[in-house]
Amino acid sequence: MKKHIFILLWLLLLYSCTTSKTVVSQNVNLSRYEYASIINNDTYHIPAELMEYEIQLFDAVENSRLKLVSDARIYELSADQQKKLLLVKYGVNVKQEETVVTVNFIDYDTGRPVASCRGAYSSLGVAGASHDIKEAIKRVAKQIAETFS
């Protein structure tokens, strides 16, 4: 019985370490940004078998107040619009103990990172990686919505 209680407490402790958060630069006014372009190249690209999750990541950014602009059409924006543009880079890290989805926002004009949203979830391998990724994306979407409301 003590062994089961110890395992349960250990699992609860491990689960509580799974946190979602946002870090915003102290010197940046996020309200000035209006546009976002998700970088979709070989470095920042989810494998084809995970495409459904990439769709959810795009939806997460689109559900904020930011207007999505294709990375191929950035040059069609005026200089003023480009100053209000954020580049978006993302990463997904799946481990049995925790799945983390990170979405980083970078000022197009300066290349300076201005915000980083992190969504984390763990079912400790019980529900499977697919479930954990979906939940981590939901959490990062919430962070994005709160950051760019």
Side-chain angles (χ1 to χ4, degrees):
M1 182 70 166
K2 289 181 184 180
K3 182 179 176 182
H4 293 290
I5 292 173
F6 175 75
I7 291 172
L8 181 61
L9 290 174
W10 182 81
L11 291 174
L12 287 173
L13 177 65
L14 184 62
Y15 182 76
S16 68
C17 294
T18 303
T19 58
S20 299
K21 65 180 182 175
T22 297
V23 176
V24 177
S25 172
Q26 295 178 0
N27 302 321
V28 174
N29 177 6
L30 293 181
S31 65
R32 77 179 191 95
Y33 295 102
E34 296 179 19
Y35 306 97
S37 182
I38 298 174
I39 303 304
N40 196 6
N41 59 27
D42 292 335
T43 305
Y44 298 98
H45 190 74
I46 291 179
E49 64 271 12
L50 300 177
M51 183 57 75
E52 68 179 282
Y53 307 117
E54 188 171 46
I55 291 168
Q56 292 173 327
L57 284 169
F58 273 71
D59 287 348
V61 174
E62 193 171 47
N63 288 334
S64 72
R65 65 170 174 75
L66 299 171
K67 297 177 193 96
L68 275 180
V69 176
S70 167
D71 57 347
R73 302 192 81 170
I74 290 174
Y75 300 106
E76 295 176 14
L77 296 174
S78 70
D80 185 53
Q81 289 172 317
Q82 288 179 356
K83 289 181 189 224
K84 299 175 183 178
L85 174 65
L86 289 169
L87 298 178
V88 181
K89 297 180 180 180
Y90 57 84
V92 178
N93 188 359
V94 179
K95 296 181 183 173
Q96 183 173 355
E97 57 274 359
E98 180 180 56
T99 297
V100 177
V101 176
T102 306
V103 181
N104 299 309
F105 296 86
I106 300 158
D107 183 285
Y108 175 77
D109 202 35
T110 65
R112 183 187 198 289
V114 297
S116 180
C117 299
R118 177 185 191 268
Y121 185 82
S122 179
S123 67
L124 300 171
V126 175
S130 176
H131 174 75
D132 288 2
I133 293 171
K134 286 179 185 177
E135 293 302 316
I137 290 173
K138 284 180 188 175
R139 290 184 177 190
V140 80
K142 181 180 178 189
Q143 294 296 317
I144 293 168
E146 289 173 0
T147 303
F148 294 99
S149 59

